[in-house]
Amino acid sequence: MEPIRTEVYKYFADYVFKRTGIFYEEKDYYRLDKRINDMMKKFELSTPEELYQKFKNAATQEMEKYLVDICTNNETYFF
């Protein structure tokens, strides 16, 4: 698998922050790895770079919703 460039991590971290308020510091970018890989599989893209370019140039509502969904914890049972 192709390594993920810092610019790609930053883009998705900023994207998630603007839509959810969830902040990924640079030291936490590794937490985006699985999410990026999941999105690549879901949208049939081969590399993180392809996903990045797709989001920058032609993200669909489905893509945006999927990213927000996988970056938020939807668990409601706390006790």
Side-chain angles (χ1 to χ4, degrees):
M1 182 172 112
E2 173 182 313
I4 301 173
R5 294 184 306 122
T6 301
E7 181 181 347
V8 174
Y9 281 126
K10 182 170 176 19
Y11 176 82
F12 285 110
D14 290 347
Y15 196 98
V16 169
F17 179 71
K18 289 175 186 172
R19 284 154 183 81
T20 68
I22 295 171
F23 179 67
Y24 289 93
E25 293 183 50
E26 191 168 336
K27 68 178 182 165
D28 297 322
Y29 283 174
Y30 72 93
R31 294 178 183 209
L32 292 169
D33 287 346
K34 181 173 180 345
R35 292 165 172 99
I36 288 171
N37 286 319
D38 288 349
M39 286 189 297
M40 286 169 33
K41 287 176 189 166
K42 170 128 175 106
F43 299 110
E44 300 176 348
L45 299 166
S46 301
T47 66
E49 189 66 32
E50 281 184 76
L51 180 68
Y52 169 62
Q53 292 300 324
K54 182 76 169 175
F55 260 85
K56 278 184 66 173
N57 299 316
T60 65
Q61 285 185 331
E62 178 187 14
M63 293 173 77
E64 293 172 350
K65 181 181 182 324
Y66 188 76
L67 175 59
V68 169
D69 284 349
I70 64 174
C71 287
T72 56
N73 182 356
N74 294 317
E75 180 63 57
T76 58
Y77 179 75
F78 294 106
F79 301 101

